[in-house]
Amino acid sequence: MRLSFKVCSSLILSVFPLGASADALGIALEKAHLKAVKELAGPVVACEVEKDGKYVILTQDQCLKHPAARKEVKLVKKFLAKMAESQSSGIVQTKALGPVNLGEQMLKQTFLVNHSWPEVTCRYFGFGPEDDPAYDYKKSQYYPIGTIKVNLTERAYQTIELYFDYIVPKYGENSAEARGLMALLGMMIFHETMHGWQLHTEPVRDYKRLPLEEFVAMLDNRQVAPDVLYGSVRIVEYEEDANVFTYEYMARSYEDFKAFENAFAQVKDEAWLLEKYPWLGGNYYDYYVFGQLKSAQKAAEKLAQGEHIKTFDGLSRYSYLVQSLPLQAFDRMVKINDAIARGAEAAEFEAQVRQMYDEVMEVIDPDYGPLDPNSHEGKTRADAIRGVEGSMSGIKEVKAAVRKEFAMYEQAAGVKL
């Protein structure tokens, strides 16, 4: 299923008097939604379906009556119920917002398979509100009352199909291979569920939330709105908390993950698999299965040595830090260049500018750094950097803006960074 991104949300506002306050209305709507959620078995799964040449989102009840969506919703719901149960008794401590039970959170949030964003749905596993064009920080309740929802992709859905169609029949539901596949998807599902909770608890506005022309105007004027700068940094702090949990979760699942990787490696190039599950080809094995197995192994080794996972690691650097480092550097470089224009000595800033330059270029330039661009690691890194730029609004523009500020400094200071 393919079409341009379209979201059709419905709010039942007519039952409330127009004079009701926004806070009272929001609380009443959310209570009604949570009551409805409790009456449903397991996580709530919505769906995207084609209607009049466009995609719209239907409620779970509507999806279960829709011939094209019924199987998808039932399968996803069954899989998510297993995931929620597996995390139902675990409390996760976060630096930004404190403790959360992700199993309980899954029962409060809405999930669906995205079919309408082809650059994402055939490449990644999923995305939460922090990357969702439909997310509105002013409407930070859970969908359908607000705009917070967790989007799985077609790639993730085909992985779920593989679980029920191949892995469980061949190895058994309680096998390491089955648990390993669930862990592979679990790292995304729990990660994005945490984002839903974060942006519900403390919603923020980052530059991906802006119309592109508005953000470009800020960059052209060399002045980013304070709440946008804060929100763009806060989003990445949320990512760090989610990533720390993800790596710890992967470390605990390493042996199961390894069993699934071995099982998938045996069939990943077979014609029947690529014909039935086309999105499990391409970079699926290298990026998700083998790549994440290596990340899980490193995380397991760190935890075994008593180390704590404190920041981004591996490929996640290029997916996440690129969202904040270039913008922070842009803001800082504007201040430095303006200070130089007012008479400050350029040399006094050189050390910090060079450090910023190295940090920023490492996450925005696929050819920068010591890696051989023709090596497996170099190609994977370059693919990740280019993939993020192509799938997130504003990334390309802020990259160009910070490069311009670095060039301005080079000219003023007479140096080459």
Side-chain angles (χ1 to χ4, degrees), residues 17-92:
L18 293 177
S21 70
D23 287 344
L25 177 61
I27 291 170
L29 285 170
E30 185 160 359
K31 283 183 177 178
H33 173 59
L34 292 179
K35 181 176 182 294
V37 166
K38 289 179 180 178
E39 293 172 355
L40 296 169
V44 178
V45 181
C47 62
E48 279 191 338
V49 300
E50 187 177 1
K51 182 178 181 181
D52 299 327
K54 297 180 180 179
Y55 270 95
V56 297
I57 300 179
L58 302 182
T59 67
Q60 178 172 272
D61 286 344
Q62 292 170 326
C63 297
L64 292 173
K65 297 173 185 176
H66 196 286
R70 186 182 301 113
K71 177 188 172 184
E72 174 187 282
V73 170
K74 285 185 175 181
L75 211 60
V76 172
K77 191 175 179 69
K78 184 177 179 181
F79 189 85
L80 293 178
K82 291 176 176 290
M83 296 303 309
E85 176 62 27
S86 73
Q87 196 65 27
S88 62
S89 61
I91 300 296
V92 179

Side-chain angles (χ1 to χ4, degrees), residues 33-244:
H33 173 59
L34 292 179
K35 181 176 182 294
V37 166
K38 289 179 180 178
E39 293 172 355
L40 296 169
V44 178
V45 181
C47 62
E48 279 191 338
V49 300
E50 187 177 1
K51 182 178 181 181
D52 299 327
K54 297 180 180 179
Y55 270 95
V56 297
I57 300 179
L58 302 182
T59 67
Q60 178 172 272
D61 286 344
Q62 292 170 326
C63 297
L64 292 173
K65 297 173 185 176
H66 196 286
R70 186 182 301 113
K71 177 188 172 184
E72 174 187 282
V73 170
K74 285 185 175 181
L75 211 60
V76 172
K77 191 175 179 69
K78 184 177 179 181
F79 189 85
L80 293 178
K82 291 176 176 290
M83 296 303 309
E85 176 62 27
S86 73
Q87 196 65 27
S88 62
S89 61
I91 300 296
V92 179
Q93 293 292 336
T94 70
K95 289 194 299 183
L97 296 174
V100 60
N101 184 310
L102 294 177
E104 290 182 359
Q105 276 296 311
M106 285 185 67
L107 301 180
K108 297 179 180 179
Q109 300 187 31
T110 301
F111 299 79
L112 74 153
V113 177
N114 178 279
H115 299 285
S116 56
W117 194 357
E119 297 86 354
V120 171
T121 197
C122 62
R123 181 183 182 90
Y124 299 106
F125 262 177
F127 57 97
E130 81 288 1
D131 294 320
D132 191 340
Y135 168 66
D136 183 347
Y137 74 106
K138 294 180 180 178
K139 299 176 182 176
S140 58
Q141 291 134 334
Y142 297 127
Y143 188 87
I145 302 307
T147 58
I148 291 179
K149 60 188 186 300
V150 175
N151 292 261
L152 281 65
T153 66
E154 290 178 339
R155 210 169 217 191
Y157 178 62
Q158 289 191 356
T159 305
I160 292 173
E161 287 186 307
L162 183 75
Y163 174 85
F164 287 111
D165 295 348
Y166 177 73
I167 295 296
V168 168
K170 183 175 177 64
Y171 297 99
E173 187 173 5
N174 296 319
S175 66
E177 290 82 359
R179 293 194 302 270
L181 183 150
M182 291 192 76
L184 177 65
L185 279 182
M187 69 180 185
M188 176 276 294
I189 290 167
F190 291 131
H191 184 109
E192 302 304 344
T193 298
M194 183 179 288
H195 285 324
W197 167 74
Q198 290 164 334
L199 289 171
H200 175 74
T201 304
E202 187 193 308
V204 294
R205 181 173 74 137
D206 68 321
Y207 61 83
K208 297 191 298 297
R209 222 56 50 206
L210 299 175
L212 183 58
E213 60 272 16
E214 183 179 344
F215 181 52
V216 169
M218 289 183 184
L219 296 175
D220 289 344
N221 292 330
R222 303 175 68 237
Q223 187 171 9
V224 178
D227 70 318
V228 173
L229 181 61
Y230 172 81
S232 300
V233 173
R234 190 63 161 165
I235 283 285
V236 177
E237 291 174 350
Y238 288 168
E239 291 287 4
E240 182 172 17
D241 273 334
N243 266 19
V244 168

